[in-house]
Amino acid sequence: KLLTMKMLLSLIALLSALLLANSAPPTCYSRMLSLSKEITESFKELQTSKAVDSCVKMLPRLYLDIHNYCVLAKLRDFVAYPGCERVVEVSELKEKARSLYTIMISYCRRDLVFLTDDCSALENPVLPPIEPS
């Protein structure tokens, strides 16, 4: 019985440790990465939406790579782009872009490493090939 009780307690301790490890708060880097992907995906969805307003087609292209120094200018330009105020999805996307910019230049400034400053890569990204399913 004592051995079974020790094994049970060990199992509970192990499961508790795993639960705590999986519920750890995101790091600055992981937050920037996930938010940039979320913004890029939302922009793609907005561009392909059936109910797209004509102003949406005029928005600057929004592909984000947080490792490219030019992403800061890209975010500033997108947020400052005039028009589309009446399109709720665009306003929400601009707010997310503003949040990412703020996170990058203030909260997570020390966690960020720029690997390139190739601005054209943000205009014409080389995307990985789509794997057949």
Side-chain angles (χ1 to χ4, degrees):
K1 279 188 169 182
L2 188 57
L3 185 58
T4 306
M5 187 64 119
K6 283 184 179 181
M7 287 178 55
L8 184 60
L9 287 174
S10 296
L11 181 61
I12 290 172
L14 178 64
L15 291 174
S16 296
L18 288 173
L19 183 62
L20 284 174
N22 288 337
S23 64
T27 63
C28 259
Y29 178 76
S30 67
R31 179 67 184 131
M32 287 185 293
L33 195 57
S34 67
L35 188 54
S36 69
K37 287 179 180 180
E38 181 182 329
I39 292 168
T40 300
E41 288 302 314
S42 294
F43 181 75
K44 283 183 203 173
E45 289 172 11
L46 185 63
Q47 290 287 55
T48 59
S49 171
K50 299 270 188 249
V52 171
D53 193 283
S54 60
C55 72
V56 172
K57 297 211 182 289
M58 303 304 291
L59 287 171
R61 185 180 174 115
L62 194 58
Y63 167 74
L64 303 178
D65 175 2
I66 63 167
H67 301 105
N68 187 331
Y69 182 74
C70 295
V71 75
L72 295 172
K74 177 66 103 176
L75 288 166
R76 277 193 311 267
D77 292 348
F78 185 79
V79 169
Y81 188 80
C84 291
E85 287 85 16
R86 67 184 183 279
V87 180
V88 175
E89 295 86 356
V90 174
S91 296
E92 290 171 353
L93 197 55
K94 283 185 175 188
E95 191 56 41
K96 285 181 185 179
R98 185 178 292 110
S99 294
L100 179 59
Y101 181 80
T102 302
I103 290 168
M104 290 178 76
I105 64 165
S106 57
Y107 303 114
C108 302
R109 184 179 67 238
R110 285 175 263 136
D111 294 355
L112 195 56
V113 175
F114 294 113
L115 303 175
T116 183
D117 62 351
D118 182 4
C119 295
S120 66
L122 295 178
E123 295 302 319
N124 303 302
V126 177
L127 300 174
I130 298 171
E131 295 182 21
S133 40

